[in-house]
Amino acid sequence: MKKVVLKLDLHDDKAKQKAMKTVSTLSGINSIAMDMKDKKLTVVGDVDPVDIVGKLRKGWHTEILTVGPAKEEKKDEKKDEGKKDEGKKDDKKDDDKKKQDTDKQIKELVEAYKAYNPHHTKFYYVQSIEENPNACVIC
């Protein structure tokens, strides 16, 4: 299970519905959530982030913000309270390992995405009429 957070360039609720419908066509998705305030789409499930971006790229500018494991709730918190004091040092080492593994996975996914779409640029050059005197203008 992976949790993928994407930034989409959406403007209204109709575009939001289309984006969510587009993503929902992929198999292996457990949940989809959209935050219109931050324009972030969160997808949880067993799906490749590159496939999600590939589907969404056809309609909107899309960026991958984070890719990581889906958070699981701990049910045995009360049982482990006595054991927490003994295993704090081990937990820190395990957390560091998990974080390094997660960072490594994210780097691999970003590299795969760059290989998948090598012509993608993050910056756009916008020309105005003043910069291009040969541009067609209806007066």
Side-chain angles (χ1 to χ4, degrees):
M1 293 272 281
K2 292 181 185 176
K3 179 179 179 182
V4 181
V5 180
L6 305 164
K7 184 170 184 176
L8 291 174
D9 189 24
L10 300 176
H11 300 289
D12 58 356
D13 288 334
K14 188 172 183 179
K16 171 188 165 185
Q17 291 296 326
K18 283 185 179 182
M20 291 180 79
K21 187 174 182 180
T22 302
V23 172
S24 67
T25 61
L26 295 170
S27 62
I29 292 179
N30 291 346
S31 69
I32 304 169
M34 182 71 194
D35 182 16
M36 284 300 286
K37 181 180 174 186
D38 296 330
K39 296 185 179 180
K40 291 181 182 178
L41 177 72
T42 304
V43 180
V44 178
D46 293 323
V47 82
D48 188 20
V50 176
D51 291 339
I52 298 171
V53 172
K55 281 271 194 183
L56 291 171
R57 256 305 146 80
K58 295 176 184 175
W60 305 274
H61 176 71
T62 309
E63 294 179 19
I64 298 176
L65 294 180
T66 60
V67 177
K71 294 181 181 178
E72 297 178 2
E73 296 180 14
K74 295 182 180 178
K75 296 179 181 178
D76 300 328
E77 288 182 11
K78 293 180 181 178
K79 294 179 183 178
D80 294 336
E81 285 180 8
K83 296 179 183 178
K84 283 185 180 179
D85 295 335
E86 298 171 2
K88 281 187 178 179
K89 293 179 183 177
D90 294 334
D91 289 340
K92 288 182 182 178
K93 290 179 184 177
D94 291 339
D95 290 341
D96 290 339
K97 272 189 174 181
K98 288 179 184 178
K99 190 172 185 178
Q100 288 175 352
D101 291 341
T102 304
D103 289 342
K104 187 176 179 182
Q105 288 177 347
I106 291 172
K107 287 179 183 177
E108 290 174 2
L109 287 171
V110 168
E111 292 299 321
Y113 177 70
K114 286 180 181 177
Y116 175 75
N117 192 1
H119 301 292
H120 171 66
T121 59
K122 290 186 177 181
F123 304 102
Y124 297 97
Y125 180 71
V126 179
Q127 287 184 330
S128 67
I129 292 293
E130 292 83 26
E131 293 175 3
N132 189 358
N134 295 326
C136 180
V137 177
I138 299 174
C139 296

